[in-house]
Amino acid sequence: MKNSYNSLNFKKVLYITFFSFLFFQFLTFKSYSDNVKNGEIIVQKMIADAKKHAIKTIKLSPKERSLKIEKLIKRFINLDFMARATTGSFWKKATNTQKDDYKVALLKQISNTIEEHLNTLATLTYEPLKSEARGKKLVYVKGVIKDNSKKIPDVNLLWKLAKDKRGDFLVLDLEIEGISLVSSHKAETMAILRKNKGNFNALLNTFTKSE
Amino acid sequence: MKKLKFAFLYSLILLFVLSGCTNNLKISAESTDPFESLNRNIFAFNKSLDNSIVSPVSTAYVKTIPHSIRKNVSNHLEWMDTPSTIVNSVLQMDLENTILASAKFMLNGLSFGFYDFDNNETKIQKKDLGSTLAKLNVPEGPFFMVPLLGPKTFRDFTGTLSDRQSLSNISSNSVNKLSLAEIPVNLVDKRSKLAKNIENIYASPDPYTKMKSFYIQNRRKNVYGDSYLEVKNKKLDLEFEKLLQ
Protein backbone atom coordinates (compact mmCIF):
# COMPACT_ATOMS: atom_id res chain seq x y z
CA MET A 1 0.00 0.00 0.00
CA LYS A 2 2.78 2.39 1.02
CA ASN A 3 4.76 1.45 -2.06
CA SER A 4 1.92 2.23 -4.48
CA TYR A 5 1.35 5.55 -2.66
CA ASN A 6 5.02 6.43 -3.10
CA SER A 7 5.04 5.56 -6.80
CA LEU A 8 1.85 7.65 -7.29
CA ASN A 9 3.51 10.60 -5.58
CA PHE A 10 6.65 10.16 -7.63
CA LYS A 11 4.61 10.13 -10.83
CA LYS A 12 2.86 13.33 -9.74
CA VAL A 13 6.16 15.06 -9.06
CA LEU A 14 7.47 13.87 -12.42
CA TYR A 15 4.39 15.21 -14.26
CA ILE A 16 4.54 18.54 -12.44
CA THR A 17 8.25 18.93 -13.18
CA PHE A 18 7.76 18.04 -16.84
CA PHE A 19 4.84 20.39 -17.41
CA SER A 20 6.37 23.25 -15.48
CA PHE A 21 9.52 22.80 -17.57
CA LEU A 22 7.42 22.97 -20.75
CA PHE A 23 5.54 26.00 -19.42
CA PHE A 24 8.74 27.91 -18.61
CA GLN A 25 10.23 26.96 -21.96
CA PHE A 26 7.09 28.35 -23.61
CA LEU A 27 7.31 31.55 -21.55
CA THR A 28 10.99 32.04 -22.40
CA PHE A 29 10.34 31.36 -26.08
CA LYS A 30 7.40 33.79 -26.02
CA SER A 31 9.49 36.50 -24.39
CA TYR A 32 12.29 35.95 -26.94
CA SER A 33 9.88 36.13 -29.87
CA ASP A 34 8.27 39.25 -28.34
CA ASN A 35 11.72 40.83 -28.09
CA VAL A 36 12.45 40.04 -31.72
CA LYS A 37 9.12 41.53 -32.80
CA ASN A 38 9.69 44.66 -30.71
CA GLY A 39 13.17 45.02 -32.17
CA GLU A 40 11.81 44.83 -35.72
CA ILE A 41 9.11 47.38 -34.95
CA ILE A 42 11.62 49.83 -33.46
CA VAL A 43 13.95 49.62 -36.48
CA GLN A 44 11.11 50.10 -38.97
CA LYS A 45 9.72 53.03 -36.98
CA MET A 46 13.16 54.61 -36.75
CA ILE A 47 13.71 54.40 -40.51
CA ALA A 48 10.23 55.76 -41.25
CA ASP A 49 10.78 58.66 -38.83
CA ALA A 50 14.22 59.41 -40.31
CA LYS A 51 12.71 59.57 -43.79
CA LYS A 52 9.92 61.88 -42.62
CA HIS A 53 12.50 64.00 -40.87
CA ALA A 54 14.63 64.21 -44.04
CA ILE A 55 11.70 65.53 -46.04
CA LYS A 56 10.54 67.95 -43.34
CA THR A 57 13.94 69.51 -42.76
CA ILE A 58 15.15 69.64 -46.35
CA LYS A 59 15.24 73.45 -46.38
CA LEU A 60 17.21 73.79 -43.14
CA SER A 61 20.98 74.27 -42.91
CA PRO A 62 23.11 71.19 -42.04
CA LYS A 63 23.68 72.58 -38.50
CA GLU A 64 19.97 73.10 -37.83
CA ARG A 65 19.26 69.68 -39.28
CA SER A 66 21.84 68.02 -37.05
CA LEU A 67 20.27 69.67 -34.00
CA LYS A 68 16.84 68.33 -34.92
CA ILE A 69 18.23 64.84 -35.58
CA GLU A 70 19.55 64.71 -32.02
CA LYS A 71 16.00 64.34 -30.69
CA LEU A 72 15.44 61.41 -33.02
CA ILE A 73 18.69 59.75 -31.95
CA LYS A 74 17.85 60.07 -28.25
CA ARG A 75 14.53 58.31 -28.87
CA PHE A 76 16.00 55.29 -30.61
CA ILE A 77 19.67 54.93 -29.64
CA ASN A 78 21.08 53.91 -26.25
CA LEU A 79 23.67 56.68 -25.94
CA ASP A 80 24.69 55.73 -22.42
CA PHE A 81 25.54 52.21 -23.57
CA MET A 82 27.42 53.45 -26.63
CA ALA A 83 29.48 55.84 -24.52
CA ARG A 84 30.49 53.02 -22.17
CA ALA A 85 31.10 50.54 -24.99
CA THR A 86 33.37 52.91 -26.92
CA THR A 87 35.58 53.96 -24.00
CA GLY A 88 36.27 50.53 -22.44
CA SER A 89 37.99 50.55 -19.06
CA PHE A 90 38.61 54.32 -19.25
CA TRP A 91 34.90 54.98 -18.62
CA LYS A 92 35.15 54.12 -14.94
CA LYS A 93 38.04 56.53 -14.44
CA ALA A 94 36.19 59.50 -15.96
CA THR A 95 34.35 62.02 -13.78
CA ASN A 96 30.59 62.51 -14.10
CA THR A 97 31.07 65.81 -15.96
CA GLN A 98 33.52 64.18 -18.38
CA LYS A 99 31.06 61.34 -18.95
CA ASP A 100 28.24 63.79 -19.73
CA ASP A 101 30.48 65.84 -22.03
CA TYR A 102 31.55 62.69 -23.86
CA LYS A 103 27.91 61.68 -24.39
CA VAL A 104 27.18 65.12 -25.86
CA ALA A 105 30.23 64.84 -28.17
CA LEU A 106 29.20 61.34 -29.23
CA LEU A 107 25.65 62.53 -29.94
CA LYS A 108 27.03 65.32 -32.15
CA GLN A 109 29.24 62.86 -34.04
CA ILE A 110 26.34 60.53 -34.73
CA SER A 111 23.96 63.34 -35.72
CA ASN A 112 26.52 64.84 -38.12
CA THR A 113 27.07 61.45 -39.77
CA ILE A 114 23.34 60.85 -40.12
CA GLU A 115 22.80 64.36 -41.49
CA GLU A 116 25.35 63.71 -44.27
CA HIS A 117 23.45 60.61 -45.39
CA LEU A 118 19.90 61.79 -44.77
CA ASN A 119 19.11 62.98 -48.29
CA THR A 120 20.37 59.71 -49.81
CA LEU A 121 18.38 57.71 -47.24
CA ALA A 122 15.14 59.47 -48.20
CA THR A 123 15.37 58.09 -51.75
CA LEU A 124 16.17 54.49 -50.74
CA THR A 125 13.91 51.66 -49.63
CA TYR A 126 14.46 49.46 -46.59
CA GLU A 127 13.63 45.76 -46.74
CA PRO A 128 13.65 43.79 -43.47
CA LEU A 129 15.40 40.42 -43.57
CA LYS A 130 15.90 37.81 -40.81
CA SER A 131 15.77 38.80 -37.13
CA GLU A 132 16.94 36.72 -34.18
CA ALA A 133 17.29 36.74 -30.41
CA ARG A 134 20.92 36.48 -29.27
CA GLY A 135 21.41 35.30 -25.72
CA LYS A 136 19.06 36.59 -23.06
CA LYS A 137 19.11 40.29 -23.86
CA LEU A 138 20.20 41.04 -27.40
CA VAL A 139 18.17 41.11 -30.57
CA TYR A 140 19.64 41.25 -34.07
CA VAL A 141 17.51 42.84 -36.78
CA LYS A 142 18.83 42.39 -40.31
CA GLY A 143 17.76 44.37 -43.33
CA VAL A 144 18.90 45.67 -46.67
CA ILE A 145 18.78 49.14 -48.15
CA LYS A 146 17.97 49.17 -51.84
CA ASP A 147 18.18 51.83 -54.47
CA ASN A 148 15.31 51.40 -56.92
CA SER A 149 17.22 53.26 -59.63
CA LYS A 150 20.10 50.77 -59.10
CA LYS A 151 22.69 53.56 -59.02
CA ILE A 152 23.86 52.44 -55.59
CA PRO A 153 24.48 48.75 -54.81
CA ASP A 154 22.45 47.09 -52.03
CA VAL A 155 23.71 47.77 -48.51
CA ASN A 156 23.28 45.10 -45.81
CA LEU A 157 22.49 46.38 -42.33
CA LEU A 158 22.44 44.69 -38.95
CA TRP A 159 20.93 46.47 -35.96
CA LYS A 160 21.75 45.26 -32.46
CA LEU A 161 19.11 46.13 -29.88
CA ALA A 162 18.35 45.51 -26.22
CA LYS A 163 16.04 46.82 -23.50
CA ASP A 164 17.38 49.68 -21.41
CA LYS A 165 16.81 50.09 -17.66
CA ARG A 166 13.34 51.58 -18.26
CA GLY A 167 12.37 48.65 -20.48
CA ASP A 168 12.48 50.52 -23.80
CA PHE A 169 14.04 48.78 -26.78
CA LEU A 170 16.99 50.82 -28.03
CA VAL A 171 19.72 50.42 -30.64
CA LEU A 172 23.16 49.50 -29.27
CA ASP A 173 25.13 49.14 -32.48
CA LEU A 174 24.74 49.20 -36.24
CA GLU A 175 26.76 47.08 -38.64
CA ILE A 176 26.95 48.36 -42.21
CA GLU A 177 28.23 45.63 -44.57
CA GLY A 178 29.88 43.92 -41.61
CA ILE A 179 31.52 47.08 -40.25
CA SER A 180 30.47 47.67 -36.66
CA LEU A 181 30.14 51.35 -35.83
CA VAL A 182 30.75 50.75 -32.12
CA SER A 183 33.91 48.73 -32.85
CA SER A 184 35.38 51.34 -35.20
CA HIS A 185 34.46 54.18 -32.86
CA LYS A 186 35.95 52.28 -29.94
CA ALA A 187 39.22 51.72 -31.86
CA GLU A 188 39.39 55.44 -32.51
CA THR A 189 38.56 56.52 -28.95
CA MET A 190 40.98 54.03 -27.39
CA ALA A 191 43.78 55.17 -29.72
CA ILE A 192 43.28 58.79 -28.61
CA LEU A 193 43.00 57.84 -24.93
CA ARG A 194 46.11 55.63 -25.04
CA LYS A 195 48.09 58.34 -26.83
CA ASN A 196 47.11 60.80 -24.07
CA LYS A 197 47.68 58.33 -21.22
CA GLY A 198 43.98 58.00 -20.43
CA ASN A 199 43.34 61.73 -20.18
CA PHE A 200 39.60 62.10 -20.84
CA ASN A 201 39.83 65.88 -21.33
CA ALA A 202 42.29 65.33 -24.19
CA LEU A 203 39.75 63.00 -25.79
CA LEU A 204 37.02 65.63 -25.42
CA ASN A 205 39.30 68.30 -26.93
CA THR A 206 40.04 66.09 -29.95
CA PHE A 207 36.32 65.57 -30.44
CA THR A 208 35.58 69.29 -30.21
CA LYS A 209 38.33 70.07 -32.76
CA SER A 210 36.89 67.63 -35.29
CA GLU A 211 33.33 69.04 -35.07
CA MET B 1 54.02 28.43 -74.76
CA LYS B 2 56.41 29.66 -72.10
CA LYS B 3 53.63 31.70 -70.47
CA LEU B 4 51.28 28.75 -70.46
CA LYS B 5 53.95 26.60 -68.82
CA PHE B 6 54.45 29.24 -66.14
CA ALA B 7 50.73 29.49 -65.44
CA PHE B 8 50.42 25.72 -65.24
CA LEU B 9 53.39 25.37 -62.89
CA TYR B 10 52.20 28.26 -60.73
CA SER B 11 48.72 26.76 -60.34
CA LEU B 12 50.15 23.33 -59.67
CA ILE B 13 52.43 24.53 -56.88
CA LEU B 14 49.65 26.54 -55.22
CA LEU B 15 47.16 23.68 -55.54
CA PHE B 16 49.69 21.37 -53.96
CA VAL B 17 50.18 23.77 -51.06
CA LEU B 18 46.42 24.24 -50.74
CA SER B 19 45.63 20.56 -50.62
CA GLY B 20 47.64 20.14 -47.44
CA CYS B 21 45.90 22.92 -45.57
CA THR B 22 42.96 23.12 -43.27
CA ASN B 23 40.32 25.82 -43.32
CA ASN B 24 40.19 26.85 -39.68
CA LEU B 25 39.23 30.41 -38.95
CA LYS B 26 41.78 32.10 -36.76
CA ILE B 27 41.26 35.80 -36.39
CA SER B 28 43.14 37.96 -33.97
CA ALA B 29 41.21 40.72 -32.22
CA GLU B 30 43.18 43.56 -33.77
CA SER B 31 45.70 43.72 -36.54
CA THR B 32 49.16 44.60 -35.26
CA ASP B 33 50.50 48.00 -36.18
CA PRO B 34 54.25 48.05 -35.41
CA PHE B 35 54.92 50.80 -37.97
CA GLU B 36 52.25 53.15 -36.67
CA SER B 37 54.26 56.38 -36.77
CA LEU B 38 55.51 55.67 -40.31
CA ASN B 39 52.00 54.64 -41.34
CA ARG B 40 50.55 57.87 -39.98
CA ASN B 41 53.06 59.86 -42.07
CA ILE B 42 52.17 57.92 -45.22
CA PHE B 43 48.48 58.40 -44.40
CA ALA B 44 49.06 62.17 -44.15
CA PHE B 45 50.91 62.08 -47.50
CA ASN B 46 48.11 60.10 -49.17
CA LYS B 47 45.54 62.45 -47.69
CA SER B 48 47.27 65.58 -48.99
CA LEU B 49 47.66 63.95 -52.42
CA ASP B 50 44.00 63.03 -52.34
CA ASN B 51 42.92 66.53 -51.33
CA SER B 52 45.06 68.25 -53.95
CA ILE B 53 44.72 65.91 -56.95
CA VAL B 54 42.54 62.79 -56.69
CA SER B 55 39.51 64.31 -54.98
CA PRO B 56 39.17 67.34 -57.34
CA VAL B 57 39.62 65.09 -60.40
CA SER B 58 37.09 62.62 -59.02
CA THR B 59 34.57 65.41 -58.27
CA ALA B 60 35.00 66.78 -61.79
CA TYR B 61 34.61 63.25 -63.17
CA VAL B 62 31.28 62.80 -61.36
CA LYS B 63 30.05 66.28 -62.37
CA THR B 64 30.96 66.15 -66.05
CA ILE B 65 30.58 62.49 -67.04
CA PRO B 66 27.02 61.11 -67.08
CA HIS B 67 26.20 58.25 -64.72
CA SER B 68 25.65 55.74 -67.56
CA ILE B 69 29.15 56.29 -68.95
CA ARG B 70 30.73 56.12 -65.49
CA LYS B 71 28.87 52.85 -64.98
CA ASN B 72 30.32 51.46 -68.22
CA VAL B 73 33.85 52.46 -67.21
CA SER B 74 33.32 50.88 -63.82
CA ASN B 75 32.01 47.68 -65.47
CA HIS B 76 35.08 47.51 -67.69
CA LEU B 77 37.48 47.94 -64.76
CA GLU B 78 35.72 45.17 -62.87
CA TRP B 79 35.86 42.96 -65.95
CA MET B 80 39.63 43.50 -66.19
CA ASP B 81 39.90 42.23 -62.59
CA THR B 82 37.84 39.08 -63.22
CA PRO B 83 40.73 36.81 -64.39
CA SER B 84 42.29 37.22 -60.95
CA THR B 85 38.98 36.19 -59.35
CA ILE B 86 38.75 33.15 -61.64
CA VAL B 87 42.31 31.96 -60.92
CA ASN B 88 41.90 32.45 -57.17
CA SER B 89 38.47 30.79 -57.12
CA VAL B 90 40.13 27.74 -58.71
CA LEU B 91 42.91 27.84 -56.11
CA GLN B 92 40.36 28.11 -53.30
CA MET B 93 38.38 25.26 -54.88
CA ASP B 94 35.26 27.44 -55.04
CA LEU B 95 33.65 25.76 -58.03
CA GLU B 96 30.48 27.87 -58.07
CA ASN B 97 32.37 31.17 -58.08
CA THR B 98 34.78 29.86 -60.75
CA ILE B 99 31.95 28.92 -63.09
CA LEU B 100 29.96 32.12 -62.50
CA ALA B 101 32.99 34.41 -62.86
CA SER B 102 34.18 32.60 -66.01
CA ALA B 103 30.72 32.73 -67.61
CA LYS B 104 30.31 36.40 -66.78
CA PHE B 105 33.81 37.19 -68.02
CA MET B 106 33.16 35.53 -71.38
CA LEU B 107 29.69 37.02 -71.79
CA ASN B 108 30.75 40.58 -70.96
CA GLY B 109 33.92 40.05 -73.01
CA LEU B 110 31.73 40.64 -76.08
CA SER B 111 31.79 44.34 -75.17
CA PHE B 112 35.25 44.29 -73.51
CA GLY B 113 33.40 44.44 -70.24
CA PHE B 114 31.94 47.90 -70.85
CA TYR B 115 28.39 46.59 -70.86
CA ASP B 116 27.10 44.26 -68.19
CA PHE B 117 24.80 41.90 -70.12
CA ASP B 118 23.86 40.21 -66.89
CA ASN B 119 22.73 43.54 -65.32
CA ASN B 120 24.56 42.66 -62.10
CA GLU B 121 22.13 39.83 -61.36
CA THR B 122 24.90 37.25 -60.82
CA LYS B 123 26.67 37.94 -57.57
CA ILE B 124 30.35 37.06 -57.87
CA GLN B 125 32.63 37.11 -54.88
CA LYS B 126 35.82 39.01 -55.69
CA LYS B 127 38.88 36.91 -54.89
CA ASP B 128 42.56 37.73 -54.97
CA LEU B 129 45.76 36.05 -53.87
CA GLY B 130 45.43 37.72 -50.47
CA SER B 131 42.15 35.84 -49.86
CA THR B 132 43.74 32.61 -51.14
CA LEU B 133 46.59 33.04 -48.67
CA ALA B 134 44.02 33.68 -45.92
CA LYS B 135 42.31 30.38 -46.77
CA LEU B 136 45.73 28.76 -46.34
CA ASN B 137 45.80 30.16 -42.80
CA VAL B 138 48.66 32.51 -43.65
CA PRO B 139 48.56 35.14 -40.89
CA GLU B 140 47.35 38.64 -41.71
CA GLY B 141 50.70 40.17 -40.74
CA PRO B 142 51.22 43.77 -39.72
CA PHE B 143 49.04 46.57 -41.00
CA PHE B 144 50.62 49.25 -43.12
CA MET B 145 49.78 52.18 -45.34
CA VAL B 146 51.11 52.01 -48.88
CA PRO B 147 51.82 55.30 -50.67
CA LEU B 148 49.06 55.87 -53.28
CA LEU B 149 47.45 52.46 -52.69
CA GLY B 150 46.20 53.10 -49.16
CA PRO B 151 45.65 50.63 -46.32
CA LYS B 152 46.84 47.01 -46.60
CA THR B 153 47.95 44.15 -44.40
CA PHE B 154 51.23 42.44 -45.22
CA ARG B 155 49.41 39.36 -46.54
CA ASP B 156 47.08 41.37 -48.76
CA PHE B 157 49.87 43.54 -50.11
CA THR B 158 51.87 40.42 -51.08
CA GLY B 159 48.69 39.11 -52.71
CA THR B 160 48.17 42.32 -54.68
CA LEU B 161 51.74 42.31 -55.98
CA SER B 162 51.67 38.61 -56.88
CA ASP B 163 48.28 38.95 -58.62
CA ARG B 164 49.64 41.75 -60.79
CA GLN B 165 52.90 39.90 -61.50
CA SER B 166 51.31 36.55 -62.35
CA LEU B 167 48.64 38.10 -64.56
CA SER B 168 51.22 40.16 -66.43
CA ASN B 169 53.17 36.94 -67.04
CA ILE B 170 50.25 35.17 -68.67
CA SER B 171 48.60 38.05 -70.55
CA SER B 172 49.74 39.74 -73.71
CA ASN B 173 51.83 42.92 -73.87
CA SER B 174 48.94 45.06 -75.07
CA VAL B 175 46.72 43.88 -72.21
CA ASN B 176 49.50 44.69 -69.73
CA LYS B 177 49.92 48.18 -71.19
CA LEU B 178 46.17 48.72 -71.04
CA SER B 179 45.93 47.60 -67.42
CA LEU B 180 48.81 49.93 -66.48
CA ALA B 181 47.18 52.83 -68.29
CA GLU B 182 43.96 52.12 -66.46
CA ILE B 183 45.44 52.52 -62.97
CA PRO B 184 44.66 56.27 -62.72
CA VAL B 185 41.17 55.71 -64.14
CA ASN B 186 40.63 52.98 -61.58
CA LEU B 187 41.80 55.32 -58.82
CA VAL B 188 39.39 58.08 -59.85
CA ASP B 189 36.53 55.61 -60.30
CA LYS B 190 37.06 54.09 -56.84
CA ARG B 191 37.47 57.52 -55.25
CA SER B 192 34.17 58.70 -56.74
CA LYS B 193 32.36 55.62 -55.39
CA LEU B 194 33.82 55.97 -51.90
CA ALA B 195 33.58 59.79 -51.73
CA LYS B 196 31.12 59.94 -48.81
CA ASN B 197 32.95 57.32 -46.76
CA ILE B 198 36.29 59.04 -47.27
CA GLU B 199 34.86 62.42 -46.27
CA ASN B 200 33.37 60.77 -43.19
CA ILE B 201 36.78 59.31 -42.28
CA TYR B 202 38.58 62.64 -42.77
CA ALA B 203 36.04 64.38 -40.53
CA SER B 204 36.54 61.97 -37.62
CA PRO B 205 38.75 62.74 -34.56
CA ASP B 206 41.40 60.17 -35.54
CA PRO B 207 41.08 59.55 -39.30
CA TYR B 208 44.02 57.12 -39.46
CA THR B 209 42.57 54.75 -36.83
CA LYS B 210 39.11 54.99 -38.36
CA MET B 211 40.41 54.09 -41.82
CA LYS B 212 42.40 51.20 -40.36
CA SER B 213 39.37 49.86 -38.49
CA PHE B 214 37.08 50.17 -41.54
CA TYR B 215 39.66 48.50 -43.78
CA ILE B 216 40.38 45.56 -41.44
CA GLN B 217 36.70 44.84 -40.74
CA ASN B 218 35.72 45.11 -44.40
CA ARG B 219 38.65 43.04 -45.64
CA ARG B 220 38.07 40.27 -43.09
CA LYS B 221 34.38 40.14 -44.03
CA ASN B 222 35.27 39.85 -47.72
CA VAL B 223 37.88 37.18 -47.11
CA TYR B 224 36.19 34.99 -44.48
CA GLY B 225 32.52 35.86 -45.12
CA ASP B 226 29.83 34.89 -42.64
CA SER B 227 32.17 32.78 -40.48
CA TYR B 228 34.16 35.90 -39.60
CA LEU B 229 30.99 37.86 -38.78
CA GLU B 230 29.79 35.06 -36.51
CA VAL B 231 33.09 34.90 -34.60
CA LYS B 232 33.24 38.69 -34.29
CA ASN B 233 29.62 38.99 -33.18
CA LYS B 234 29.91 36.23 -30.57
CA LYS B 235 32.75 38.19 -29.01
CA LEU B 236 30.84 41.46 -29.19
CA ASP B 237 27.69 39.82 -27.74
CA LEU B 238 29.62 38.80 -24.62
CA GLU B 239 31.02 42.31 -24.29
CA PHE B 240 27.57 43.88 -24.75
CA GLU B 241 25.87 41.51 -22.29
CA LYS B 242 28.44 42.41 -19.65
CA LEU B 243 27.83 46.12 -20.20
CA LEU B 244 24.06 45.64 -20.03
CA GLN B 245 24.22 44.04 -16.56
Side-chain angles (χ1 to χ4, degrees):
Chain A
M1 186 68 189
K2 202 179 175 186
N3 248 354
S4 66
Y5 175 77
N6 271 349
S7 71
L8 203 73
N9 238 359
F10 178 69
K11 266 186 187 173
K12 253 188 192 175
V13 171
L14 208 69
Y15 279 132
I16 290 167
T17 319
F18 177 69
F19 283 111
S20 51
F21 172 74
L22 273 186
F23 180 69
F24 282 116
Q25 281 292 317
F26 170 75
L27 277 186
T28 324
F29 176 74
K30 199 179 173 310
S31 95
Y32 283 167
S33 63
D34 282 350
N35 281 354
V36 171
K37 260 187 194 168
N38 285 335
E40 282 173 351
I41 290 167
I42 290 290
V43 169
Q44 302 230 15
K45 194 166 168 24
M46 182 172 59
I47 288 173
D49 284 7
K51 275 190 176 186
K52 266 187 216 163
H53 177 87
I55 298 162
K56 263 188 191 173
T57 59
I58 203 149
K59 284 179 184 167
L60 295 179
S61 71
K63 246 192 176 177
E64 287 172 315
R65 260 184 140 185
S66 292
L67 275 174
K68 294 224 166 188
I69 295 165
E70 286 180 7
K71 279 182 196 165
L72 201 77
I73 295 169
K74 279 180 188 166
R75 255 176 59 209
F76 292 105
I77 293 176
N78 191 337
L79 256 182
D80 185 67
F81 173 87
M82 276 194 178
R84 279 184 293 133
T86 52
T87 46
S89 56
F90 293 103
W91 182 252
K92 282 180 189 166
K93 292 168 195 162
T95 63
N96 285 340
T97 325
Q98 284 172 331
K99 284 177 183 174
D100 289 341
D101 289 348
Y102 178 69
K103 278 188 218 168
V104 172
L106 189 64
L107 180 64
K108 274 196 178 157
Q109 282 260 316
I110 300 171
S111 62
N112 287 342
T113 313
I114 295 178
E115 197 279 320
E116 280 166 26
H117 294 87
L118 212 56
N119 286 347
T120 325
L121 182 76
T123 60
L124 305 173
T125 48
Y126 174 76
E127 256 180 44
L129 297 172
K130 205 180 106 189
S131 302
E132 57 176 324
R134 302 268 297 199
K136 285 176 188 168
K137 292 173 181 168
L138 292 166
V139 171
Y140 278 15
V141 178
K142 288 178 187 171
V144 61
I145 279 187
K146 289 188 169 183
D147 177 20
N148 294 334
S149 65
K150 292 206 167 180
K151 281 184 182 172
I152 304 167
D154 295 353
V155 180
N156 288 302
L157 301 176
L158 165 64
W159 310 87
K160 295 176 184 178
L161 300 106
K163 274 183 191 168
D164 71 347
K165 282 169 194 166
R166 287 177 299 174
D168 297 330
F169 252 95
L170 294 173
V171 175
L172 306 180
D173 188 14
L174 166 64
E175 265 187 28
I176 305 168
E177 286 293 333
I179 297 174
S180 153
L181 294 188
V182 164
S183 294
S184 52
H185 200 85
K186 185 180 179 182
E188 208 178 349
T189 315
M190 298 298 261
I192 300 168
L193 280 166
R194 276 191 202 124
K195 194 177 150 195
N196 294 290
K197 291 171 187 164
N199 185 344
F200 228 84
N201 285 333
L203 173 76
L204 293 170
N205 285 339
T206 321
F207 266 79
T208 321
K209 272 182 204 165
S210 73
E211 272 165 22
Chain B
M1 193 63 194
K2 206 177 164 188
K3 283 172 188 169
L4 267 174
K5 254 188 192 172
F6 173 82
F8 179 70
L9 264 173
Y10 184 72
S11 318
L12 208 70
I13 292 166
L14 270 169
L15 270 175
F16 176 72
V17 177
L18 256 171
S19 61
C21 293
T22 52
N23 198 18
N24 293 335
L25 183 64
K26 287 173 190 165
I27 305 161
S28 59
E30 270 177 53
S31 187
T32 51
D33 193 358
F35 316 112
E36 192 180 334
S37 60
L38 175 69
N39 284 341
R40 280 186 184 273
N41 287 333
I42 297 173
F43 176 77
F45 166 75
N46 282 355
K47 191 182 162 192
S48 65
L49 202 73
D50 179 52
N51 283 337
S52 53
I53 301 170
V54 187
S55 173
V57 174
S58 149
T59 313
Y61 174 68
V62 173
K63 273 187 183 166
T64 50
I65 311 285
H67 178 263
S68 56
I69 297 176
R70 275 187 281 131
K71 178 87 184 142
N72 290 343
V73 172
S74 193
N75 285 342
H76 171 71
L77 293 167
E78 264 183 37
W79 180 77
M80 290 285 282
D81 264 349
T82 318
S84 164
T85 296
I86 297 169
V87 172
N88 284 292
S89 299
V90 172
L91 294 173
Q92 291 175 34
M93 294 175 196
D94 188 342
L95 192 66
E96 193 188 339
N97 211 47
T98 311
I99 294 169
L100 290 177
S102 307
K104 196 168 179 173
F105 181 69
M106 285 197 281
L107 180 69
N108 290 344
L110 296 169
S111 66
F112 287 103
F114 281 101
Y115 188 77
D116 188 3
F117 291 101
D118 169 53
N119 207 13
N120 220 5
E121 290 296 320
T122 315
K123 298 284 174 226
I124 294 166
Q125 215 187 331
K126 268 193 171 184
K127 288 184 193 274
D128 51 25
L129 197 63
S131 64
T132 305
L133 292 172
K135 291 271 152 81
L136 288 166
N137 284 336
V138 172
E140 221 168 36
F143 171 84
F144 61 95
M145 291 294 294
V146 186
L148 301 171
L149 286 181
K152 294 267 174 213
T153 60
F154 188 71
R155 182 184 64 202
D156 296 328
F157 185 55
T158 319
T160 310
L161 289 181
S162 312
D163 271 333
R164 196 148 274 286
Q165 187 56 39
S166 52
L167 285 175
S168 66
N169 275 326
I170 55 171
S171 44
S172 69
N173 251 353
S174 49
V175 172
N176 288 338
K177 277 180 191 164
L178 182 67
S179 79
L180 271 178
E182 280 179 352
I183 290 175
V185 185
N186 206 345
L187 194 70
V188 171
D189 177 64
K190 279 202 176 131
R191 177 64 174 82
S192 67
K193 282 182 194 164
L194 296 170
K196 276 210 165 162
N197 294 332
I198 294 174
E199 295 312 321
N200 179 259
I201 287 169
Y202 287 167
S204 67
D206 186 353
Y208 167 76
T209 311
K210 191 153 217 166
M211 177 167 271
K212 184 177 129 188
S213 175
F214 277 8
Y215 172 77
I216 300 278
Q217 289 189 65
N218 183 48
R219 182 66 191 160
R220 283 178 179 172
K221 187 217 152 207
N222 290 341
V223 169
Y224 301 109
D226 289 342
S227 43
Y228 160 65
L229 294 179
E230 195 48 42
V231 171
K232 185 181 86 167
N233 281 331
K234 267 189 185 166
K235 243 178 163 185
L236 277 176
D237 284 357
L238 286 175
E239 222 178 290
F240 282 13
E241 292 240 1
K242 257 188 196 171
L243 284 169
L244 285 168
Q245 274 165 10

